[in-house]
Amino acid sequence: MYKCLFLDLDDTLWDFSGNAEETFREVYELYAFHRYFDSFEQFYSLYKQRNAALWKEYGDGAITKDELNRQRFAYPLLCVGVDDARLFKEYSGKFFSIIPFKSRLKPYARESLEYLSSRFRLYILSNGFRELQEQKMRSSGILHYFEKVVLSEDIGVHKPYPALFHFALSVAQADAKDALMVGDSWESDIEGAKGVGMHQLFYNVLGKQEFPFRPTYVMDSWKEVQGLGI
């Protein structure tokens, strides 16, 4: 039915949430952040609180990549009265040196890639940074499943904006009607794909109950993919 599949990477295949929390715990201990916070949970809650909003600003072009990274790592420390630009830079650099070597995937993701790669041409379509995404894929042993990694940095436009989907389709030399987008983000992956006429497979990891529209396919686990009739 499809000539190619585009798959999001973070929290669709590569377990970003789990790998990021593990990395932050290592950095928290390494820099003795217990001096500033009541617990790791306090620190990480503050980080996540600001991180999502900053990624939205970055996706909208309101801030640069450097500003995104500066603000999101500074925010939790600023919240507890620590204003140390050198510390912000050091611990964010350590985070980025560790996280791409984490290898945890979402359950059954590898088995599903074996199945899908025998049937379709596979591409990554991600808003992540190139210096991290390809290393994450090498570390987790999945890079070889994909013909190409297409990133928002390639053209300076992020999912869900149509230009990135059109660019990805041109890379794959495919029409929208012949492509399927697979992802865990309703706005970025599913609404973005629908907006350009692509079919969608929503990986419903958070158990979303109501949908503004019915996606082409929905799965709660990668274990279900072979039963979807794709």
Side-chain angles (χ1 to χ4, degrees):
M1 182 176 180
Y2 302 108
K3 292 182 179 177
C4 60
L5 270 59
F6 294 96
L7 295 92
D8 174 59
L9 181 62
D10 291 331
D11 278 333
T12 296
L13 293 168
W14 193 79
D15 185 6
F16 180 84
S17 298
N19 289 321
E21 181 172 348
E22 184 177 294
T23 303
F24 271 116
R25 285 187 182 276
E26 292 178 26
V27 171
Y28 184 90
E29 294 298 326
L30 183 63
Y31 287 89
F33 279 179
H34 56 80
R35 294 173 293 167
Y36 312 125
F37 299 93
D38 294 336
S39 64
F40 170 78
E41 287 70 25
Q42 180 198 14
F43 161 77
Y44 198 42
S45 176
L46 288 168
Y47 171 81
K48 291 190 292 184
Q49 176 182 310
R50 187 74 180 108
N51 183 55
L54 286 168
W55 270 100
K56 178 69 166 61
E57 292 178 31
Y58 175 62
D60 290 340
I63 58 174
T64 65
K65 173 182 171 181
D66 288 343
E67 188 64 13
L68 162 73
N69 287 327
R70 188 192 70 77
Q71 287 196 42
R72 65 189 178 127
F73 286 98
Y75 182 78
L77 286 159
L78 291 172
C79 285
V80 294
V82 180
D83 188 354
D84 185 339
R86 180 178 178 181
L87 176 59
F88 303 158
K89 185 174 182 180
E90 282 188 11
Y91 103 85
S92 63
K94 178 59 70 173
F95 175 87
F96 286 127
S97 74
I98 295 172
I99 193 167
F101 295 94
K102 298 294 182 183
S103 59
R104 186 186 310 169
L105 296 171
K106 303 299 284 187
Y108 302 102
R110 189 183 309 278
E111 296 88 338
S112 297
L113 288 174
E114 284 286 341
Y115 167 72
L116 293 173
S117 64
S118 70
R119 298 167 59 83
F120 308 102
R121 291 184 288 125
L122 304 183
Y123 298 83
I124 286 292
L125 180 54
S126 167
N127 285 344
F129 305 137
R130 184 164 297 281
E131 66 268 24
L132 300 179
Q133 301 304 72
E134 291 188 359
Q135 182 56 56
K136 291 175 186 176
M137 296 170 70
R138 282 191 289 270
S139 298
S140 54
I142 63 172
L143 184 60
H144 67 283
Y145 290 112
F146 296 91
E147 296 205 8
K148 191 169 180 64
V149 177
V150 181
L151 300 176
S152 57
E153 283 193 325
D154 294 339
I155 61 170
V157 175
H158 303 77
K159 294 180 294 182
Y161 290 100
L164 182 57
F165 287 90
H166 289 307
F167 174 71
L169 289 166
S170 71
V171 168
Q173 298 184 322
D175 295 328
K177 63 181 176 59
D178 299 321
L180 177 70
M181 178 71 210
V182 184
D184 72 297
S185 170
W186 181 263
E187 179 182 1
S188 294
D189 301 317
I190 306 309
E191 289 186 347
K194 183 177 174 60
V196 298
M198 289 173 61
H199 282 191
Q200 325 91 39
L201 167 51
F202 180 42
Y203 181 20
N204 191 15
V205 288
L206 298 180
K208 186 179 178 71
Q209 296 295 314
E210 298 182 1
F211 306 100
F213 59 87
R214 188 69 184 174
T216 317
Y217 307 97
V218 179
M219 65 179 183
D220 296 327
S221 164
W222 274 110
K223 196 173 185 178
E224 301 168 22
V225 74
Q226 294 190 38
L228 293 176
I230 297 173

